[in-house]
Amino acid sequence: MTLFCLDIRCLCIILTCTEFGYTLSSELEIKVHPPQDFQIVDPGYLGYLYLQWQPPLSTNDFEECTIEYELKYRNVDSKMWKTIITKNLFFKDGFDLNKGIEAKIHTLLPGQCANGSEVQSSWSEATYWISPQGNLETKIQDMDCVYYNWQYLFCSWKPGMGIHFDANYNLFYWYEGLDHALQCADYIKKDGKNIGCRFPNLESSDYTDFYICVNGSSESKPIRSSYFIIQLQNIVKPLPPDCLSLTMQNSYEIILKWSLPSGPIPENCFIYEIAFSEDDIAWVSTTVENEMYVMKTTNGSKQLCFLVRSKVNMYCSDDGIWSEWSDEYCWTGDMWRETLIFFLIPFGFVSLFVLLVTCVLLHKQKNLVKMVFYTRREVFFRQETIC
């Protein structure tokens, strides 16, 4: 009986201690609140948005700790979230305004401030979208932008479907460094309507997002706006190479050379595509040098031709546009035979002509000398007879 009472007492003590320990751990549990006033702000930069927030409540309890924030954001139809961990109270990035944007953020308390385990708050969420105006088919079609020779940007488009005759489109652009969005100052027109834009010199616009909005106006019905984000170095179309030359090293080895395309593109940013043909055989190859060694398939080749085009390579851009093809350069037949045909044969004809003329002149001179000789002889004989 005594042992039974002792067991009951022990059990009561264990239960009491367990309950007390749970209460203690609950009282010592650390919590952190989510950031306040989380919002997505549009400063009017055509897709470059600000995500900003305020510190969470009760931050005074963690004055000796550095609070961080985990931010996730994406366009609504994207499957992947972009994730940023920051100590700041804002973040800036570009978004496709053709679609909605959603973002969420929570507070992170590092382990050294939370008994060795990182503490996370609940999420704060925000969304942003531009209310669409006008039917989808009124948007421009086939937007095409080309950065010619890394100097001149041209963008063109086709009008949307079912728009009224009075409708017209306007283009606005912005990139980091501009104080505000600018409207195109030099439109390309067709039948009085804007179908493209020639841009001025764009200083410090390479390797940064370039934002474009093309909206429209019509008295009959609204027109849907279109938004684009491009990087200029990825749409560069260089000039084609020129000054092509073909040098025969020996019976089989050939050196193809060409000059660098003119313009501001650095030499190490080019890749070249060469189209080479030997009689009826043709092939295409690429190189980063402005020359190429080629082996002839036979010693009796009658015609060798090649042409080149250029593009910005992967070390200077993510993508690019091939230039137009250069003029074709060809070598035909044997070089010595060409020399004979074009130089020795005409020289032979000229030499033969000179020789014939000389012979004729000499012959005439000989006849003239004979005539003078006989005339003087006849005079001499007459004088002798008279005497």
Side-chain angles (χ1 to χ4, degrees):
M1 188 65 158
T2 305
L3 291 173
F4 179 73
C5 291
L6 287 173
D7 290 341
I8 291 176
R9 287 178 184 177
C10 289
L11 180 61
C12 291
I13 292 170
I14 292 170
L15 289 174
T16 305
C17 289
T18 304
E19 184 178 357
F20 179 73
Y22 176 77
T23 307
L24 247 146
S25 65
S26 297
E27 289 176 356
L28 295 176
E29 183 180 359
I30 298 175
K31 292 184 178 180
V32 63
H33 293 281
Q36 302 180 83
D37 301 326
F38 180 45
Q39 55 183 326
I40 302 172
V41 178
D42 186 354
Y45 296 152
L46 312 179
Y48 190 68
L49 305 181
Y50 297 169
L51 291 82
Q52 57 191 38
W53 56 92
Q54 294 298 321
L57 295 170
S58 305
T59 54
N60 295 332
D61 299 336
F62 313 109
E63 290 181 352
E64 297 180 358
C65 297
T66 301
I67 294 177
E68 295 181 333
Y69 306 97
E70 183 179 16
L71 171 67
K72 292 179 177 288
Y73 60 93
R74 66 180 179 180
N75 277 109
V76 170
D77 64 343
S78 175
K79 296 180 180 179
M80 300 293 295
W81 290 89
K82 291 185 179 180
T83 302
I84 299 295
I85 295 178
T86 179
K87 300 174 184 178
N88 297 323
L89 296 175
F90 65 91
F91 186 76
K92 304 175 183 179
D93 204 354
F95 295 87
D96 182 1
L97 292 188
N98 296 301
K99 309 161 187 175
I101 297 105
E102 57 183 348
K104 57 184 180 179
I105 189 171
H106 64 187
T107 309
L108 302 178
L109 193 63
Q112 62 266 27
C113 302
N115 298 331
S117 299
E118 183 183 72
V119 176
Q120 302 178 356
S121 74
S122 58
W123 291 98
S124 290
E125 299 182 354
T127 58
Y128 179 81
W129 65 90
I130 293 179
S131 300
Q133 296 183 354
N135 296 328
L136 188 62
E137 62 269 15
T138 61
K139 295 174 61 172
I140 61 168
Q141 304 177 74
D142 302 333
M143 181 68 161
D144 182 39
C145 293
V146 179
Y147 199 24
Y148 287 99
N149 208 32
W150 215 309
Q151 291 176 300
Y152 312 105
L153 177 62
F154 290 79
C155 288
S156 61
W157 59 82
K158 294 180 181 177
M161 302 295 292
I163 60 172
H164 200 257
F165 71 91
D166 69 335
N168 203 359
Y169 295 94
N170 300 298
L171 181 145
F172 296 84
Y173 66 95
W174 181 86
Y175 56 89
E176 197 164 2
L178 296 180
D179 294 332
H180 57 274
L182 301 177
Q183 184 176 182
C184 174
D186 187 10
Y187 283 109
I188 302 169
K189 296 180 178 289
K190 181 179 179 182
D191 299 329
K193 305 296 183 182
N194 299 333
I195 60 166
C197 178
R198 302 180 189 89
F199 291 81
N201 183 30
L202 304 170
E203 297 181 359
S204 304
S205 57
D206 304 331
Y207 299 99
T208 186
D209 288 336
F210 192 92
Y211 298 86
I212 294 176
C213 171
V214 181
N215 57 25
S217 59
S218 174
E219 294 183 359
S220 58
K221 60 180 179 180
I223 295 176
R224 181 77 63 92
S225 298
S226 298
Y227 296 90
F228 306 90
I229 305 174
I230 58 177
Q231 288 207 341
L232 299 186
Q233 75 276 1
N234 294 334
I235 56 171
V236 172
K237 183 176 182 179
L239 294 174
D242 55 8
C243 300
L244 278 62
S245 66
L246 186 153
T247 304
M248 305 287 292
Q249 290 289 95
N250 50 52
S251 299
Y252 286 95
E253 190 175 18
I254 306 168
I255 300 179
L256 310 178
K257 288 186 178 181
W258 53 91
S259 64
L260 295 172
S262 59
I265 304 176
E267 178 180 352
N268 61 343
C269 285
F270 282 111
I271 185 172
Y272 303 97
E273 187 172 69
I274 299 93
F276 180 81
S277 62
E278 180 181 359
D279 295 334
D280 296 330
I281 302 172
W283 50 262
V284 176
S285 182
T286 58
T287 179
V288 294
E289 304 292 337
N290 63 321
E291 67 176 36
M292 174 177 280
Y293 288 84
V294 178
M295 298 299 293
K296 293 169 60 179
T297 58
T298 175
N299 190 25
S301 302
K302 295 182 179 179
Q303 186 178 60
L304 304 171
C305 294
F306 81 104
L307 59 165
V308 189
R309 62 179 181 174
S310 60
K311 187 172 103 167
V312 177
N313 62 35
M314 60 181 293
Y315 302 106
C316 297
S317 69
D318 294 334
D319 200 358
I321 303 172
W322 283 108
S323 72
E324 302 297 328
W325 286 101
S326 67
D327 294 332
E328 188 177 49
Y329 182 87
C330 289
W331 174 89
T332 305
D334 185 73
M335 192 63 69
W336 288 105
R337 189 177 302 168
E338 287 187 355
T339 303
L340 286 173
I341 293 173
F342 291 101
F343 294 99
L344 296 183
I345 292 178
F347 179 76
F349 277 117
V350 172
S351 300
L352 182 60
F353 176 75
V354 171
L355 181 62
L356 288 174
V357 170
T358 304
C359 290
V360 170
L361 291 176
L362 288 174
H363 180 71
K364 287 185 177 181
Q365 186 178 10
K366 185 178 180 181
N367 290 338
L368 182 61
V369 170
K370 283 183 179 181
M371 185 180 298
V372 171
F373 175 76
Y374 284 120
T375 303
R376 287 183 177 180
R377 186 179 179 183
E378 184 178 350
V379 170
F380 175 77
F381 280 126
R382 284 181 182 178
Q383 288 177 351
E384 203 175 55
T385 304
I386 294 171
C387 293

